[in-house]
């Protein structure tokens, strides 16, 4: 991409103030090694042994909505390979990449902001669904029950991409279920409380992001401020900084310093609602860099599209009544996508719109 065209220029209130570079000293790093011995048949067996981890997860979710994990069990070599295929894919010509262009028949595929209408993000991306096919609603209309199936669009090159992505998705899913158990325990719930929302179907997906170097990083953003809509996100970022998190205590934007082997976890809007705001999802955004390109790979762990998301019965009572109206997760995603692709003056659909007064 060349000069920053008008289309990428963020409205003044959204432009990054590049002089604020607070490092994320405060973002908790949680060592997950205690959990591995205590998962049997993929579920927590000895809860006392992981009490410390559960406490740390609780504190991180309450104070930040973000944390990093080490000793997470995802093989380093696999992470390296998935980063390699992502770089190889993006290094090809636009023509080659567009052979797997995303269209209305599936979320999977390639897109770049320059050629996608109404997207202001300074980046290109390639998405893959974790489950194939993934069931999704056809329309945002609440009265329309029809669904359709989405399939993955795998590029021919690099040839090892498909196998690597499939392996990586497997590992992401394993880790995501463990994190979901830790989150459930940290809310005082039974460890597998959330599993039912994923068992039969899920709408999780993995995204390769490439943020090219940008000539005017003070005008543009790699990704504008947002909360992730799903339950949780597992992000692999490279050594180039860029991710910023809104600190809950003072609303300051804080840079998440890359830690080479760590994965970054953030709770999404679904956990915010399930927990009735106990764990509020944190806003985050991506700053671009004028010299260095940056790559990242988030895995979005999303429940089945037909999940009705609402505060859990166990967590609400007379003193702490439900703060949200129930909503249909798949419909919410479709509506959000439609609203986000409108002109910038139109307010995006946000989870706060489902808040009860
Ligand atoms: C996202 C996101 C962060 C990053 O894609 O939702 O927040 O570092 N990405 O790429
Ligand atoms: Ni995000």
């Amino acid at each position: 991409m060349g000069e920053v065209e008008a289309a990428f220029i963020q409205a003044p209130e959204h432009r990054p103030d590049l002089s604020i570079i607070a490092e994320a000293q405060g973002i908790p790093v949680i060592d997950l090694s205690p959990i591995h011995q205590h998962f049997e048949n993929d579920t927590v067996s000895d809860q006392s042994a992981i009490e410390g981890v559960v406490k740390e997860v609780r504190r991180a979710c309450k104070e930040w909505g973000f944390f990093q994990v080490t000793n997470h069990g995802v093989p380093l070599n696999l992470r390296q390979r998935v980063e390699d295929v992502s770089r190889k894919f993006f290094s090809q010509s636009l023509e080659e990449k567009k052979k797997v262009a995303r269209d209305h028949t599936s979320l999977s595929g390639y897109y770049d902001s320059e050629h996608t209408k109404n997207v202001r993000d300074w980046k290109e991306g390639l998405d893959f669904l974790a489950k194939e096919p993934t069931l999704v609603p056809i329309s945002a209309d609440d009265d329309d029950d029809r669904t359709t199936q989405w399939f993955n669009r795998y590029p021919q090159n690099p040839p090892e991409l498909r196998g690597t992505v499939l392996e990586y998705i497997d590992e992401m899913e394993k880790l995501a279920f463990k994190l979901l158990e830790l989150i459930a325990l940290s809310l005082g719930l039974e460890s597998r409380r959330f599993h039912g929302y994923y068992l039969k179907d899920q709408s999780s997906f993995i995204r390769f992001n490439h943020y090219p170097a940008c000539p005017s990083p003070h005008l543009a953003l790699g990704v504008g401020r947002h909360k992730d809509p799903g339950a949780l996100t597992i992000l692999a970022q490279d050594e180039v900084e860029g991710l910023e998190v809104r600190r809950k205590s003072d609303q300051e934007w804080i840079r998440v310093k890359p830690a080479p082997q760590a994965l970054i976890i953030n709770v999404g809007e679904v956990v915010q609602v399930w927990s009735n705001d106990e764990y509020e999802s944190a806003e985050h955004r991506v700053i671009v860099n004028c010299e260095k390109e940056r790559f990242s790979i988030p895995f979005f762990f999303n429940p089945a599209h037909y999940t009705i998301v609402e505060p859990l019965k166990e967590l609400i009572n007379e003193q702490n009544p439900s703060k949200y109206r129930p909503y249909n997760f798949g419909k919410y995603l479709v509506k959000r996508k439609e609203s986000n692709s409108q002109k910038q003056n139109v307010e995006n659909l946000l989870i706060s719109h489902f808040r009860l007064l």
Side-chain angles (χ1 to χ4, degrees), residues 111-167:
Y111 52 94
D112 73 328
S113 305
E114 215 167 3
H115 301 90
T116 311
K117 264 196 317 213
N118 300 325
V119 178
R120 314 182 72 74
D121 298 344
W122 186 266
K123 68 159 199 173
E124 53 182 345
L126 178 66
D127 291 358
F128 300 102
L129 305 154
K131 296 291 165 197
E132 203 169 19
T134 290
L135 273 182
V136 292
I138 285 188
S139 107
D141 180 355
D142 289 319
D143 299 324
D144 187 345
D145 287 339
R146 289 173 305 156
T147 57
T148 184
Q149 296 184 327
W150 280 354
F151 291 87
N152 274 330
R153 208 154 274 163
Y154 287 107
Q156 299 240 293
N157 285 306
E160 70 277 21
L161 185 143
R162 182 167 184 273
T164 311
V165 164
L166 288 173
E167 252 184 272

Side-chain angles (χ1 to χ4, degrees), residues 257-268:
K257 211 173 167 43
Q261 307 190 355
L263 291 165
I264 299 165
I265 313 299
N266 75 283
V267 301

Side-chain angles (χ1 to χ4, degrees), residues 91-118:
S91 70
Q92 302 175 104
S93 68
L94 184 60
E95 192 194 355
E96 193 59 34
K97 290 184 277 196
K98 285 180 107 173
K99 287 183 181 163
V100 287
R102 189 165 86 173
D103 61 27
H104 67 281
T105 65
S106 176
L107 177 97
S108 174
Y110 170 77
Y111 52 94
D112 73 328
S113 305
E114 215 167 3
H115 301 90
T116 311
K117 264 196 317 213
N118 300 325

Side-chain angles (χ1 to χ4, degrees), residues 13 27 31 49 56 115 118 131 235 241 310 321:
E13 68 274 21
I27 291 188
D31 178 355
E56 286 179 68
H115 301 90
N118 300 325
K131 296 291 165 197
L235 177 83
E241 298 184 2
E310 61 186 322

